[in-house]
Amino acid sequence: MSAAGNFHVAIIMDGNGRWAQRRGMPRSAGHAQGAKSVRRVVEASVRAGVRTLTLYAFSADNWGRPSPEVDALLRLLQCYLASETRRCLRNSVRINVIGRRDRLPASLVRAIEQSERATAHCTRMRLRIAVDYSSKHSIVEAARRAASGGLSAQSFESLLAEVDHSVAEVGPVDLLIRTGGEQRLSDFLLWDCAYAELYFTDALWPDFGEAGLHAALEDFSNRHRRFGKVLAETA
Ligand code: FPP
């Protein structure tokens, strides 16, 4: 775990569809099972001392899926916010949904705003859920807003946070996990992952759970992070 105490884990939760198809179930059943896995991993992250957990729930490109699947995913997100906000309050978890809001159903935007308001004072962990999120869109939009003046990387980051509706300074990603066997970033947190350690696992998201999280954290603890420099003992 990070000595700085600001440890940021981001997860691309892949494999819900395959999990369901292997059981002869509709893809939406895989997403419902995936939401249960979200609850387990959020609680395990709190216990493990993770300070920020960012989950990729719905990418801007996911609009291209069949509309029943899109509707099921958006409904699931709304149900999750309705049912989990109280649990987050108990665990002092601050909820923040990042990504675009202008294309989401009004009822989902209201649920997002309610969960964010209710948990705004929580300090133990930040749970960021990326919905209608695209890193490339955020970067282009922040660049458009910045176009008027010379900007430092830091003030560009504040603009990115503003574009994404990110409410707190969360810092870069330390560990990026992707389940489901694929090894790519899929337009997720491209700026924030500049020096992230990448961890890929074949486990499908509904099967990942607390044990999966611990395996990823254990793997991370053996990485040597140099941030483009050389290790002190070899300098
Ligand atoms: C990718 O698996 C997963 C998604 C597009 C959605 C992720 C959503 C959840 C885990 C549930 C809802 C989230 C929250 C925060 C409550 P896939 O459908 O691409 O799976 P496949 O690669 O096996 O087809």
Side-chain angles (χ1 to χ4, degrees):
M1 189 73 42
S2 150
N6 199 23
F7 194 61
H8 184 174
V9 176
I11 310 184
I12 301 175
M13 309 179 287
D14 198 8
N16 292 344
R18 276 165 288 162
W19 185 92
Q21 277 158 352
R22 282 177 196 176
R23 289 163 177 77
M25 295 155 88
R27 292 176 58 81
S28 56
H31 295 314
Q33 197 64 28
K36 291 185 187 161
S37 192
V38 167
R39 183 187 304 153
R40 288 194 290 272
V41 171
V42 167
E43 297 205 333
S45 299
V46 172
R47 284 194 290 275
V50 171
R51 284 287 290 137
T52 304
L53 177 66
T54 307
L55 302 176
Y56 206 4
F58 188 86
S59 79
D61 290 323
N62 287 153
W63 290 113
R65 294 190 176 204
S67 63
E69 183 172 346
V70 169
D71 292 347
L73 269 170
L74 297 179
R75 263 200 314 274
L76 198 56
L77 281 163
Q78 200 166 323
C79 289
Y80 178 87
L81 291 171
S83 68
E84 294 307 301
T85 298
R86 200 169 297 163
R87 194 187 297 258
C88 285
L89 273 171
R90 274 204 301 277
N91 288 322
S92 192
V93 172
R94 182 174 187 178
I95 298 174
N96 178 203
V97 173
I98 61 167
R100 294 179 65 165
R101 294 190 182 177
D102 56 314
R103 305 190 291 189
L104 299 179
S107 58
L108 178 54
V109 175
R110 274 197 301 277
I112 291 169
E113 288 169 353
Q114 260 166 19
S115 297
E116 289 186 339
R117 237 190 342 265
T119 60
H121 61 286
C122 296
T123 54
R124 192 160 170 205
M125 187 179 85
R126 301 179 196 107
L127 170 61
R128 301 199 313 162
I129 304 175
V131 179
D132 195 4
Y133 179 85
S134 155
S135 253
K136 282 164 74 175
H137 167 83
S138 306
I139 291 169
V140 168
E141 179 59 22
R144 198 182 60 72
R145 293 186 195 183
S148 50
L151 267 187
S152 64
Q154 203 177 7
S155 40
F156 187 72
E157 269 170 24
S158 324
L159 273 175
L160 269 179
E162 185 185 299
V163 168
D164 287 341
H165 300 95
S166 181
V167 292
E169 283 188 18
V170 297
V173 173
D174 295 294
L175 171 62
L176 177 92
I177 299 171
R178 182 174 187 137
T179 63
E182 312 285 356
Q183 303 194 354
R184 53 176 172 260
L185 295 181
S186 300
D187 201 10
F188 187 45
L189 302 177
L190 300 181
W191 176 282
D192 322 66
C193 282
Y195 278 101
E197 296 295 324
L198 308 182
Y199 178 85
F200 300 106
T201 168
D202 289 336
L204 304 177
W205 174 251
D207 296 327
F208 183 68
E210 180 157 19
L213 179 74
H214 286 160
L217 294 176
E218 170 69 21
D219 189 272
F220 176 86
S221 69
N222 294 316
R223 305 279 179 103
H224 300 289
R225 305 187 79 192
R226 295 190 295 279
F227 299 97
K229 304 176 179 66
V230 290
L231 288 175
E233 62 265 29
T234 60

